[in-house]
Amino acid sequence: TATTNIGFDFSFFRGFTGSFEYYNKSTDGILQEVNIPPSFGIINKPSDNVASVSNRGIEMSLNYTKQFKDWTFSIGGNLTTVRNRVEKMYRGIPNLGSGIEEGYSMFYIRGYKLGGIMENQEQVDIYKEIDQVASTRDLMAPGDFWFMDLRGKPSTDNEFYSTEPDGVVDEYDQVYLGKTIPGYYYGINMSVEYKGLDFSALFSGVGDVQKINNKKMSFLNTSKVASNMDPAILNYWRPDNTNT
């Protein structure tokens, strides 16, 4: 792991202090399974130090402190950005099950991209012909989701999928849907002190990140009998309520 940091601290206008830093962290030689010829007679794939990942961004903070007789007031904030990328894998081979692929953030969310809602039986019949994944194809009806055909089978030996749609929806159409590593972290702190008594508060959060909300998903499942549900189900698709 090699890390480069460039930054500076500063103060101005009596009471303001802060810092700014740029960082670039590169991790190389990460273990990854590699393919070897069957003639070696080895059942399990060996691991080699071939993968690399980079993290880069900025870290900044700004604080202000003011004293007035027996009172001391202070407030401050900080922000850190993170750009996480997989730079290299063995022969570019992705680990799609774990969401690890060259050019993407580590452990990204992967799945089928929603296209919309089928509004009538004609749309259902058309989609049933191209969906090669759904186990409940015979139960499809107006009001069900349909998913997009975005990729296809590999057209050459060094591809893992084709970026051209092939007219069917299958496992090759699973794509990047979001990242699990936040793009930035932030915080705000404040305090007040008076003759040895003090009050302080700290707020922190993250942004530019996606997560599957399993709790909400369970509340939207109408197949659960006598279970608590989200009020949003009252606006589910019906023949007389299609704008939903």
Side-chain angles (χ1 to χ4, degrees), residues 45-127:
K45 296 179 181 179
S47 296
D48 200 359
N49 300 91
V50 291
S52 62
V53 176
S54 68
N55 289 277
R56 66 182 62 139
I58 60 173
E59 296 180 348
M60 63 177 71
S61 66
L62 182 64
N63 302 278
Y64 176 73
T65 302
K66 177 70 174 179
Q67 288 185 320
F68 181 73
K69 294 184 179 180
D70 294 328
W71 292 86
T72 301
F73 303 90
S74 66
I75 186 171
N78 61 80
L79 174 69
T80 298
T81 66
V82 181
R83 178 189 175 276
N84 175 273
R85 287 289 185 278
V86 176
E87 303 291 349
K88 177 187 175 185
M89 297 189 75
Y90 173 70
R91 293 186 177 178
I93 300 174
N95 184 342
L96 297 178
S98 299
I100 303 176
E101 185 176 1
E102 285 185 3
Y104 292 89
S105 175
M106 291 276 288
F107 312 119
Y108 71 81
I109 300 172
R110 180 172 168 268
Y112 299 98
K113 191 167 185 179
L114 182 64
I117 294 177
M118 294 180 283
E119 301 289 350
N120 51 56
Q121 188 60 44
E122 181 182 2
Q123 293 180 5
V124 173
D125 294 339
I126 293 174
Y127 183 68

Side-chain angles (χ1 to χ4, degrees), residues 169-188:
V169 175
D170 54 19
E171 64 272 15
Y172 292 108
D173 292 297
Q174 294 190 34
V175 295
Y176 171 93
L177 298 179
K179 60 180 184 175
T180 60
I181 298 177
Y184 60 87
Y185 301 77
Y186 61 91
I188 300 173

